[in-house]
Amino acid sequence: MKRSRATSPPSISAAAKQQISPPATPILRQKLHKAGVPKWFPLKLTQTELTLPLTFPTGQTFRWKQTGAIQYSGSIGPHLVSLRQRPGDDTVSYCVHCGTSPKAAELALLDFLNAEISLAELWSDFSEKDPRFGELAKHLRGARVLRQDPLECLIQFLCSSNNNIARITKMVDFVSSLGLHLGDIDGFEFHQFPSLDRLSRVSEQELRKAGFGYRAKYITGTVSALQSKPGGGDEWLLSLRKLELQDAVAALCTLPGVGPKVAACIALFSLDQHSAIPVDTHVWQIATRYLLPDLAGAKLTQKLCSRVAEAFVSKYGEYAGWAQTLLFIAELPAQKALLQSFSQPIQLDKPAEKKTE
DNA sequence: AAGTGCCCTGTGGA
DNA sequence: ATCCACAGGGCAC
């Protein structure tokens, strides 16, 4: 398993890396631990509720880096934190490298991890609705859906269109480098995600030079559209958390570069829209195998995308997005190899017939 | 509605 | 060596 930093970002200009202005509120850089001797605290989540390798390298975020055997690091707001697990130890530990205060960092972390949502309850619920989850649980226990910052999530998935993980990561690294530098861990640089204001000072040309291709205009266009929202783009994005799923998706789709798939990713990974189903070719494969076998081989049209999403929701309910994420993770190469040894295909019930309106 | 060509770039296979 | 399909889409006809 190679780390994506193996190829370093090619053309981050010195100017682009430079901080244009200091952050509005100065970050208090507390010495939370002596250099080289980080202090680890237990998190209020056991391995059943959080398994790091099943959560961070699964395509939900491209900002967190693997900084140890079972250790991932990333920034949440002004905080730079690491999470770690040890073999045979059921607890997950965290370490705060910098931030406003240790308590604030812990709260931000728990929020980011969606800690209030009980995976145990979800597994129990899914297993009743789908016997396949009984088998899946053996290997996918602890896989979570994150609750990311909406702007951060939006920009990341703007980069994801018709793209691969290695390049998405490179592009996200570039955007991140525009934010305040928080520290280095295991050779990785970590930055606070740049503000909307900071992002608005990046030109399409600069982004193209950095390798964004046609997605460059998505970024500048979306940033500009967000800035013109009454009350500011951040508040506008946050307000989508209170809307119904279809309204939130519709609002997101007004932004340039955001279509149904990207909107669903943002909704699920940052807007508390737990039943959002990002339908891409992978999910389509899963759906035609287990949920809609009659449609196997059909072309993935927009109409069929919504049928797939409906099928997931009708089978798994309010948290269908989480169910879909678990099935998706099961299909990732590393997990698939593990599962294949004993997993038998299970024929599932077909969802209730939907009449076309 | 649905179909098609196009948009950027890196990669692996033909 | 060169070409080409394709990679976790979106947009404009």
Side-chain angles (χ1 to χ4, degrees), chain A residues 78-96:
Chain A
H79 309 101
L80 176 57
V81 299
S82 294
L83 289 164
R84 181 178 79 177
Q85 278 168 315
R86 291 293 180 72
D89 185 355
D90 194 41
T91 64
V92 180
S93 300
Y94 74 97
C95 160
V96 183

Side-chain angles (χ1 to χ4, degrees), chain A residues 212-225:
Chain A
F212 281 64
Y214 60 84
R215 302 164 198 86
K217 62 180 180 297
Y218 292 167
I219 307 277
T220 57
T222 284
V223 166
S224 165

Side-chain angles (χ1 to χ4, degrees), chain A residues 109-179:
Chain A
L109 193 48
L110 290 172
D111 182 77
F112 180 77
L113 293 170
N114 252 327
E116 287 183 5
I117 292 170
S118 160
L119 266 188
E121 287 177 23
L122 285 186
W123 274 107
S124 155
D125 181 41
F126 294 156
S127 298
E128 282 178 20
K129 293 169 171 170
D130 183 346
R132 181 178 159 81
F133 275 84
E135 287 299 312
L136 248 43
K138 296 175 186 169
H139 290 277
L140 297 188
R141 187 172 303 154
R144 298 192 74 83
V145 169
L146 298 171
R147 187 175 194 257
Q148 303 181 57
D149 175 80
L151 177 63
E152 220 172 299
C153 192
L154 166 57
I155 300 297
Q156 291 189 78
F157 282 94
L158 276 180
C159 298
S160 74
S161 80
N162 206 13
N163 209 346
N164 57 69
I165 290 176
R167 188 151 81 105
I168 297 168
T169 303
K170 218 186 291 183
M171 290 158 66
V172 169
D173 283 347
F174 175 83
V175 173
S176 300
S177 74
L178 302 172

Side-chain angles (χ1 to χ4, degrees), chain A residues 7 33 57 69 74 96 149 154 190 194-195 211 244 258 260 281 294 300 324 351:
Chain A
T7 56
H33 55 74
V96 183
D149 175 80
L154 166 57
F190 291 90
S195 67
E244 291 299 310
V258 181
T281 53
D294 293 346
L300 187 51
Q324 177 274 140

Side-chain angles (χ1 to χ4, degrees), chain A residues 124-314:
Chain A
S124 155
D125 181 41
F126 294 156
S127 298
E128 282 178 20
K129 293 169 171 170
D130 183 346
R132 181 178 159 81
F133 275 84
E135 287 299 312
L136 248 43
K138 296 175 186 169
H139 290 277
L140 297 188
R141 187 172 303 154
R144 298 192 74 83
V145 169
L146 298 171
R147 187 175 194 257
Q148 303 181 57
D149 175 80
L151 177 63
E152 220 172 299
C153 192
L154 166 57
I155 300 297
Q156 291 189 78
F157 282 94
L158 276 180
C159 298
S160 74
S161 80
N162 206 13
N163 209 346
N164 57 69
I165 290 176
R167 188 151 81 105
I168 297 168
T169 303
K170 218 186 291 183
M171 290 158 66
V172 169
D173 283 347
F174 175 83
V175 173
S176 300
S177 74
L178 302 172
L180 181 68
H181 182 248
L182 294 177
D184 295 348
I185 305 170
D186 196 33
F188 294 97
E189 283 185 12
F190 291 90
H191 299 255
Q192 189 167 356
F193 197 77
S195 67
L196 210 43
D197 180 63
R198 176 66 188 92
L199 290 172
S200 72
R201 280 182 264 122
V202 183
S203 69
E204 178 183 342
Q205 186 186 358
E206 286 176 274
L207 291 169
R208 282 188 175 269
K209 200 168 60 183
F212 281 64
Y214 60 84
R215 302 164 198 86
K217 62 180 180 297
Y218 292 167
I219 307 277
T220 57
T222 284
V223 166
S224 165
L226 285 174
Q227 283 195 307
S228 72
K229 301 291 182 191
D234 294 303
E235 188 181 319
W236 183 81
L237 282 171
L238 247 19
S239 75
L240 303 183
R241 283 180 168 167
K242 299 185 186 71
L243 299 185
E244 291 299 310
L245 171 60
Q246 53 267 41
D247 296 331
V249 165
L252 288 170
C253 284
T254 64
L255 301 169
V258 181
K261 196 275 182 177
V262 169
C265 287
I266 299 163
L268 179 60
F269 300 142
S270 75
L271 295 179
D272 300 333
Q273 303 288 351
H274 303 300
S275 62
I277 310 291
V279 181
D280 57 23
T281 53
H282 268 245
V283 175
W284 175 242
Q285 296 302 319
I286 296 169
T288 53
R289 211 174 321 145
Y290 303 114
L291 241 44
L292 303 165
D294 293 346
L295 296 174
K299 192 163 181 283
L300 187 51
T301 62
Q302 186 177 336
K303 192 72 179 175
L304 284 181
C305 281
S306 31
R307 277 211 56 190
V308 169
E310 284 168 12
F312 270 100
V313 174
S314 101

Side-chain angles (χ1 to χ4, degrees), chain A residues 132 135-136 139-140 330 335-343:
Chain A
R132 181 178 159 81
E135 287 299 312
L136 248 43
H139 290 277
L140 297 188
Q335 305 305 324
K336 199 165 181 177
L338 232 59
L339 288 163
Q340 258 174 359
S341 47
F342 54 83
S343 164

